[in-house]
Amino acid sequence: MTEKRRLVVIGNGMAGARTVEEILARGGDFDITMFGDEPYGNYNRIMLSNVLAGVEDEAGIFLNDLSWYSDHGITLHAGTRIERIDRASRTVHAADGSATGYDKLIIATGSRAFVPPIPGLHRPGRGYHQGVFAFRTLDDTRAMIRYAREHERAVVIGGGLLGLEAARGLQNHLPHVTLVHATGHLMNTQLNEVAGQTLQRTVERRLGIEVLVGATTTEILGKHAVTGVKLADGRVVPCDVVVVAAGIRANAEVAAASGLPVERGVVVDDQMRAAEDVYAVGECAQHRGEVYGLVAPLWEQARVLADHLTGAAPDAAYRGSKVSTKLKVAGVDVASMGLTTPADGDESVTFAEPARGIYKNVIVRDGRLVGATLVGDVTKAAYLIQAFERGLDLPAERASLLFDLGGEGAEVSPAEMPDDAQVCNCNGVAKSAICGAVAGGCRTVGGVMDRTRAGKGCGTCKPLVAQIVSWAAGGALDEDPAASYYVPGVPLPKPELMAAVRRLGLKSVSAVFGALGGEEDAKSKMGLASLLKMMWGDEYVDERDARFINDRVHGNIQRDGTFSVVPQMKGGVTTPAQLKRIAEVAERYDVPMVKLTGGQRIDLLGVPKEKLPDIWADLDMPSGYAYAKSFRTVKTCVGSDFCRFGVGDSTALGIALEERYQGIEGPGKMKLAVTGCPRNCAEAYVKDLGVVAIDGGRWEIYVGGAAGAHVRKGDLLATVDSADEVIVLAGRFLQYYRENGNWLERTYSFVPRVGIDRVRAVVVDDDDGIAAALDAAMDASVAAYRDPWRERERESTPGQFRTSLPLTVLPQVPVRA
């Protein structure tokens, strides 16, 4: 029996592990040994920003866990650094003193964070100054999360893709983030100036991230810990966290020390060969003068190298990559490929709509697409990427490259896409892999995504993945079980989840994960907290890390890190004494804005977090719940006492409803209204629950209405004879919604999904015989109500109201004298 050839791979990142996967897929007969600096299996580095943002659990980003290596007979030395390659003896030497021989060697050491030589960034003998972080590894991400939770203001140095993602992720842990970028516009490598400016406006307006461009950081300030950064123009940006995301550099030191050709990276030929039997792949490799930092070229290199090493295609050659990318950058859709600026003689077609954050540009040369940039609207990206990579003929009407103009669209259907067309840029998944998964028996979109990893990166390709899966399955898709899970981290639909929670007596979020969900999942915590509080009332064990920042401090966070204070005004009714107290508090605490809300209350905006308890105490009014996924308010009209058209006392009924159901948790927020006649001055027809007085002292109850981003007139639930019946049926409907609505599903989606006839049968007619149980459950929740502003008397957690100064001063709204 022939002894297997020894293959050693230095690097266990995305490129190294992907190359090994490709070798195994071709039946490569090697004894494989891998070395990785990090003590883990292989994970998707692109997804670290999602982990930082709290929308992805660590477990969800691993591509190959440790068991995968043993299952495939691979020896993995995790957390072991290679220090030297002895090419004469064909041996690699590790930091632990071990030596490993090879017949073929792959260097896949990737890249490291580029950290500019900024004074104050490091401390002698300590590494980074306290509060300074690079953003490159899982350990970096964990450290940032731990530190940011206890601090208030962050500066991210670097306005490329990584910097934007870091800034967006940090917003989930501290209230104010500033992005500092040395060049004149964001993502200057991928975007032209106008596109970068469009992205900046969107990031500032929609996300509330402060962006400083043309701003070079010259010093990190602070003696014992970071207190700010100083810019070249003399400005100082106060902060207590600094994240350096200024780019990457190839990890080529071990190659250079071993006598291999190194320039910007390890220099390789078209077979990815750096020297005899030594190869380099991924971000550490330099091919024809180019070093690639996107994953798609890495996957191409991995395929070529696997073909060459296994003999599947000995003459396989990597010719370089036409780089294109389609991603969500800090929540904004961006696509870029090829040139960003036209040359003389090129055709250039541009559309810009700055108010909506949309910019589109294509560059055509000799009838072929040589560049395209899309920000804010990437609906044409799939077609443009195909045209760019394959040199497709372009429509004579160039505007159709940017828009569907009413005729047959230029989009490529799944049937027309070539098998090797790349669908998922983040994970390098081609159409053929998706179709192969379907042919292998996988008949759900979620299942195909799990098997192929398509759509598991930034997520922008999910619609296209779904189209291809449906086409490949001939439309015969199976129902995806995960689509019915109440929260992603616990594999149970809501009824089964509630049954298990009751059966096992699970009264905290951590207890649910421990019994039902395994590893804690950040995306699931808020939904579970709301559900458990609804189910257990006073017995619920509150764990503050399961709450969003709004619910931890009982106010709505604003773009500058301050909060709003909205005291309760039942039914929109107040007194001169309350108004005087509100005015005095606003003056005493220099509240920047006092505004009437659409829910007939007064909003004090711009309140620093540390002042919240004092303001609540001085107001001495209950919370108005203008921040939570809960019962919000009851809007009312004047009603019958003063209005000459009123046929019912809407004000009294509105106050009664609010007094009973104030603060009740729900899957989504619940807005109510009561109007004293069908003229609908309180807009009751378009509320989650609306009540309308009609002649004869009767009341109509409407449910499932909306007047925000969605506009929907509510469905008539019932017509009743008394206010008492309204209160009972309102509570019963809200409880039915609380127990059966999906997390974050508003009533305007819940009612059409279930059907008004079904809702009426349960809530009004009691066809299921559960009306009494619904009433009792709501009674228990009402009895468990506690005004959250009472936490002013004693903090629930240390540092709950720690200072968030200094704050960014926002433009003041002019007030007419």
Side-chain angles (χ1 to χ4, degrees):
M1 182 175 178
T2 305
E3 187 176 347
K4 289 185 177 181
R5 291 178 297 169
R6 299 167 300 171
L7 173 64
V8 171
V9 182
I10 305 175
N12 187 37
M14 295 174 70
R18 183 57 171 260
T19 304
V20 170
E21 288 180 355
E22 296 284 356
I23 289 170
L24 294 173
R26 289 158 177 75
D29 192 22
F30 289 98
D31 181 2
I32 302 175
T33 301
M34 300 184 72
F35 292 86
D37 280 356
E38 297 181 70
Y40 314 110
N42 169 236
Y43 62 85
N44 187 340
R45 206 174 298 277
I46 297 169
M47 300 296 285
L48 288 176
S49 57
N50 284 354
V51 174
L52 179 62
V55 299
E56 186 74 56
D57 190 76
E58 286 183 9
I61 72 170
F62 276 87
L63 302 172
N64 301 306
D65 59 18
L66 294 175
S67 64
W68 178 84
Y69 298 86
S70 59
D71 291 345
H72 290 84
I74 298 168
T75 301
L76 173 64
H77 297 279
T80 304
R81 176 183 291 271
I82 294 297
E83 294 187 332
R84 181 169 60 90
I85 303 167
D86 187 336
R87 290 161 55 201
S89 65
R90 292 175 173 261
T91 306
V92 296
H93 296 265
D96 62 6
S98 63
T100 304
Y102 69 83
D103 296 305
K104 301 287 184 180
L105 175 66
I106 299 174
I107 301 171
T109 45
S111 58
R112 64 182 184 280
F114 169 63
V115 180
I118 303 171
L121 201 66
H122 296 87
R123 285 292 182 268
R126 282 175 39 190
Y128 290 129
H129 190 21
Q130 184 169 328
V132 175
F133 302 89
F135 185 27
R136 188 64 185 160
T137 68
L138 181 56
D139 287 341
D140 292 337
T141 308
R142 289 171 172 171
M144 269 192 283
I145 292 172
R146 286 193 300 268
Y147 196 82
R149 282 173 178 164
E150 301 300 323
H151 293 82
E152 302 295 335
R153 299 174 65 88
V155 165
V156 178
I157 299 174
L161 172 62
L162 196 62
L164 284 159
E165 289 291 285
R168 181 59 169 154
L170 286 168
Q171 282 190 306
N172 287 271
H173 305 288
L174 33 70
H176 193 276
V177 179
T178 300
L179 186 69
V180 176
H181 190 46
T183 60
H185 65 272
L186 297 178
M187 290 186 69
N188 51 285
T189 302
Q190 293 90 6
L191 304 180
N192 62 31
E193 183 176 3
V194 179
Q197 291 169 348
T198 303
L199 177 61
Q200 177 179 341
R201 282 191 292 269
T202 303
V203 167
E204 290 176 325
R205 292 174 184 174
R206 292 187 193 169
L207 306 182
I209 295 172
E210 181 183 11
V211 178
L212 305 177
V213 295
T216 301
T217 304
T218 58
E219 187 178 358
I220 307 298
L221 304 176
K223 182 176 181 180
H224 301 293
V226 169
T227 59
V229 301
K230 186 176 181 180
L231 306 180
D233 60 9
R235 284 180 292 174
V236 171
V237 183
C239 65
D240 42 28
V241 179
V242 172
V243 175
V244 181
I248 58 175
R249 296 292 185 271
N251 268 329
E253 287 80 1
V254 69
S258 304
L260 293 167
V262 173
E263 295 172 1
R264 293 168 56 216
V266 184
V267 179
V268 297
D269 62 16
D270 289 355
Q271 279 72 45
M272 309 308 298
R273 183 190 297 107
E276 184 180 359
D277 295 325
V278 178
Y279 302 83
V281 65
E283 291 177 337
C284 69
Q286 177 181 319
H287 175 266
R288 298 189 183 184
E290 295 292 331
V291 177
Y292 296 97
L294 297 173
V295 294
L298 276 56
W299 304 155
E300 293 181 51
Q301 294 174 5
R303 287 193 291 269
V304 168
L305 183 51
D307 281 342
H308 173 72
L309 287 178
T310 61
D315 297 326
Y318 175 65
R319 308 293 187 188
S321 297
K322 300 184 75 172
V323 177
S324 63
T325 185
K326 175 170 165 274
L327 299 166
K328 270 193 184 295
V329 181
V332 182
D333 288 317
V334 173
S336 176
M337 62 210 75
L339 302 178
T340 59
T341 305
D344 290 343
D346 290 343
E347 300 176 60
S348 180
V349 182
T350 301
F351 172 81
E353 196 172 355
R356 292 181 59 210
I358 293 175
Y359 173 84
K360 306 181 184 185
N361 170 260
V362 293
I363 301 172
V364 178
R365 179 179 297 168
D366 299 328
R368 294 288 182 266
L369 185 69
V370 294
T373 304
L374 307 174
V375 176
D377 178 7
V378 296
T379 52
K380 300 292 287 187
Y383 166 70
L384 291 174
I385 290 173
Q386 292 274 336
F388 171 71
E389 291 181 347
R390 300 181 177 278
L392 302 180
D393 291 332
L394 303 179
E397 195 168 8
R398 302 301 198 214
S400 63
L401 294 170
L402 302 179
F403 306 98
D404 291 326
L405 299 178
E408 183 178 350
E411 295 295 342
V412 178
S413 70
E416 297 170 321
M417 291 176 65
D419 286 344
D420 62 348
Q422 187 151 289
V423 176
C424 176
N425 285 330
C426 293
N427 288 313
V429 184
K431 173 192 168 184
S432 58
I434 296 171
C435 295
V438 175
C442 198
R443 296 272 167 160
T444 68
V445 175
V448 170
M449 289 170 60
D450 288 338
R451 184 174 298 183
T452 65
R453 304 174 188 155
K456 291 287 191 175
C458 69
T460 57
C461 65
K462 285 182 181 179
L464 181 57
V465 172
Q467 292 176 33
I468 295 172
V469 172
S470 179
W471 170 78
L477 294 180
D478 295 335
E479 184 178 353
D480 189 348
S484 66
Y485 297 165
Y486 183 61
V487 291
V490 182
L492 291 171
K494 189 173 186 180
E496 286 89 335
L497 173 59
M498 292 176 65
V501 165
R502 287 196 181 98
R503 183 178 71 255
L504 300 173
L506 307 175
K507 298 180 181 179
S508 70
V509 171
S510 60
V512 172
F513 282 124
L516 304 175
E519 293 289 331
E520 292 195 4
D521 171 49
K523 292 181 290 185
S524 304
K525 286 186 175 182
M526 287 178 60
L528 288 174
S530 174
L531 181 69
L532 295 176
K533 189 173 182 182
M534 181 268 291
M535 293 177 64
W536 294 109
D538 268 341
E539 297 179 63
Y540 165 62
V541 178
D542 187 6
E543 296 169 327
R544 288 300 171 115
D545 68 342
R547 296 186 179 200
F548 182 58
I549 178 63
N550 286 1
D551 300 287
R552 293 201 294 269
V553 301
H554 316 299
N556 195 15
I557 193 168
Q558 307 299 308
R559 61 175 290 184
D560 64 344
T562 62
F563 293 82
S564 64
V565 172
V566 183
Q568 184 184 55
M569 290 183 176
K570 298 171 186 175
V573 175
T574 187
T575 65
Q578 284 182 339
L579 290 174
K580 184 178 180 181
R581 201 179 312 144
I582 291 171
E584 289 173 346
V585 167
E587 286 187 339
R588 187 177 307 137
Y589 291 94
D590 296 321
V591 174
M593 181 186 289
V594 181
K595 190 180 188 307
L596 297 177
T597 74
Q600 298 178 331
R601 297 178 293 191
I602 294 177
D603 193 350
L604 307 179
L605 290 154
V607 178
K609 184 169 63 172
E610 70 276 8
K611 291 184 179 181
L612 289 174
D614 292 338
I615 285 184
W616 297 338
D618 288 355
L619 284 172
D620 195 26
M621 297 171 67
S623 170
Y625 283 90
Y627 56 85
K629 300 292 183 285
S630 69
F631 182 103
R632 289 291 186 90
T633 184
V634 183
K635 189 173 184 177
T636 70
C637 66
V638 173
S640 56
D641 283 355
F642 293 94
C643 179
R644 65 183 187 275
F645 301 108
V647 295
D649 191 350
S650 57
T651 303
L653 180 53
I655 292 172
L657 285 166
E658 189 157 351
E659 285 179 338
R660 177 160 176 76
Y661 301 120
Q662 58 190 345
I664 293 298
E665 297 274 340
K669 52 191 172 185
M670 296 164 277
K671 297 182 178 180
L672 282 70
V674 183
T675 190
C677 75
R679 290 171 180 261
N680 195 32
C681 292
E683 302 161 352
Y685 292 120
V686 287
K687 297 295 183 183
D688 293 287
L689 188 146
V691 184
V692 180
I694 59 176
D695 288 334
R698 309 185 77 204
W699 301 90
E700 294 177 336
I701 304 173
Y702 291 84
V703 294
H710 297 77
V711 179
R712 182 181 190 271
K713 182 181 178 183
D715 296 318
L716 180 64
L717 177 69
T719 302
V720 299
D721 297 324
S722 68
D724 289 342
E725 291 176 274
V726 170
I727 293 173
V728 171
L729 289 182
R732 193 178 297 166
F733 166 75
L734 294 177
Q735 184 64 24
Y736 182 61
Y737 161 62
R738 295 169 77 208
E739 293 186 5
N740 295 278
N742 297 323
W743 175 237
L744 301 181
E745 181 182 37
R746 290 289 297 275
T747 62
Y748 59 73
S749 298
F750 170 75
V751 171
R753 175 172 66 83
V754 175
I756 187 59
D757 291 337
R758 173 63 180 158
V759 173
R760 189 181 296 118
V762 172
V763 173
V764 181
D765 302 328
D766 194 18
D767 284 0
D768 290 5
I770 62 171
L774 293 173
D775 294 344
M778 180 57 80
D779 288 343
S781 291
V782 169
Y785 171 74
R786 301 289 183 273
D787 179 11
W789 284 4
R790 286 292 168 188
E791 287 183 6
R792 62 181 179 259
E793 297 161 1
R794 186 176 63 183
E795 291 186 350
S796 293
T797 56
Q800 182 180 4
F801 300 105
R802 181 184 289 112
T803 179
S804 56
L805 289 173
L807 301 171
T808 298
V809 178
L810 294 177
Q812 300 297 296
V813 175
V815 178
R816 187 173 298 167

